[in-house]
Amino acid sequence: QVQLQQWGAGLLKPSETLSLTCGVYGGSFSESFSEYHWTWIRQSPEKGLEWIGEVNHSGSTNYNPSLKSRVTMSVDTSKSQFSLNLTSVTAADTALYFCASIPPPRGYSGYRFESWGQGTLVTVSS
Amino acid sequence: DVQMTQSPSSLSASVGDRVTITCRASQYISSYLLWYQQKPGKAPKLLIYAVSTLQSGVPSRFSGSGSGTDFTLTISSLQPEDFATYYCQHSYNTPWTFGQGTKVEIK
């Protein structure tokens, strides 16, 4: 099963860009995980769990409309990594950020967030 | 966006109790309903997808049911390791959304 480990800056000032990366382990990224999608989710006391968006193996993206104007996700198959950038952060972006894997659906079972990273606490403060 | 509403927000129960948590979607989501368990300081853990399919390794005391807009997570006999917060989530369309959580505490 895929294992995820994430990293990135945990303290930002307002208007800066949040950048997080998630490393994928447990198999060949280009072979074992070629049909996977990769996603970011954040969690805060105010908003609970919030899906940010997803990127697939070829780099196609799908973002939450509430964040779409500030979000960019990408995948680097050579490094077995995927990344999140969120621009112009404010205090409202303070949250615990998780990366997760979305394996291909089994039949008509739909998508699921199967494996998760350990989480990165991002605090936005001047 | 589909709104997911869980009830109760919290509950107190004893080891061995049968526990039921409900989740209601603001619109039809077919069978695209999942349940996660989260313990303090940890990432959520997938328990159930497609309403009732147990993720590999999840004990059989967990079960899910429902369809359309109303769903239920049941723990048949609560164990000490089950004290946690539980979230429902839909995957019917994007943006995927979560319920606000149900905290299961020790009575």
Side-chain angles (χ1 to χ4, degrees):
Chain A
Q1 190 172 351
V2 62
Q3 293 143 41
L4 304 175
Q5 186 167 0
Q6 59 184 99
W7 62 89
L11 181 59
L12 297 172
K13 290 181 167 49
S15 80
E16 292 185 333
T17 295
L18 179 158
S19 292
L20 298 174
T21 300
C22 189
V24 180
Y25 307 92
S28 167
F29 193 76
S30 295
E31 296 176 7
S32 304
F33 305 131
S34 62
E35 295 184 35
Y36 275 60
H37 292 211
W38 310 100
T39 191
W40 292 93
I41 298 138
R42 68 182 183 180
Q43 185 174 30
S44 65
E46 296 77 22
K47 291 191 173 182
L49 287 161
E50 181 180 26
W51 175 72
I52 301 171
E54 58 161 345
V55 59
N56 71 9
H57 200 75
S58 62
S60 296
T61 55
N62 180 19
Y63 301 139
N64 190 322
S66 67
L67 297 166
K68 187 174 183 177
S69 63
R70 299 192 291 130
V71 171
T72 303
M73 293 182 186
S74 61
V75 63
D76 187 336
T77 55
S78 67
K79 294 183 178 179
S80 299
Q81 296 173 356
F82 60 101
S83 298
L84 165 69
N85 277 5
L86 180 67
T87 62
S88 305
V89 297
T90 69
D93 295 309
T94 294
L96 185 56
Y97 286 74
F98 295 100
C99 59
S101 65
I102 305 176
R106 294 172 181 160
Y108 296 98
S109 66
Y111 293 104
R112 61 196 187 276
F113 302 152
E114 187 171 69
S115 297
W116 294 62
Q118 78 277 18
T120 300
L121 179 60
V122 176
T123 302
V124 180
S125 174
S126 56
Chain B
D1 301 1
V2 179
Q3 306 302 314
M4 308 298 290
T5 303
Q6 290 180 232
S7 61
S9 296
S10 65
L11 64 89
S12 296
S14 301
V15 172
D17 284 354
R18 181 181 182 88
V19 168
T20 299
I21 299 168
T22 63
C23 178
R24 174 166 287 178
S26 62
Q27 65 187 67
Y28 174 81
I29 59 168
S30 185
S31 297
Y32 297 108
L33 190 283
L34 305 91
W35 291 98
Y36 298 85
Q37 176 194 67
Q38 186 178 32
K39 296 182 179 180
K42 300 292 188 181
K45 172 189 173 183
L46 177 64
L47 294 177
I48 289 172
Y49 60 97
V51 177
S52 60
T53 302
L54 256 60
Q55 173 69 358
S56 176
V58 173
S60 59
R61 62 181 179 273
F62 291 93
S63 64
S65 63
S67 66
T69 60
D70 294 307
F71 304 89
T72 299
L73 171 69
T74 299
I75 309 172
S76 60
S77 178
L78 198 65
Q79 298 302 300
E81 60 268 30
D82 301 336
F83 291 96
T85 301
Y86 294 84
Y87 296 92
C88 63
Q89 177 228 328
H90 84 87
S91 60
Y92 182 69
N93 56 11
T94 58
W96 298 318
T97 55
F98 294 82
Q100 82 281 12
T102 296
K103 187 173 184 179
V104 177
E105 299 176 300
I106 301 173
K107 192 171 188 179

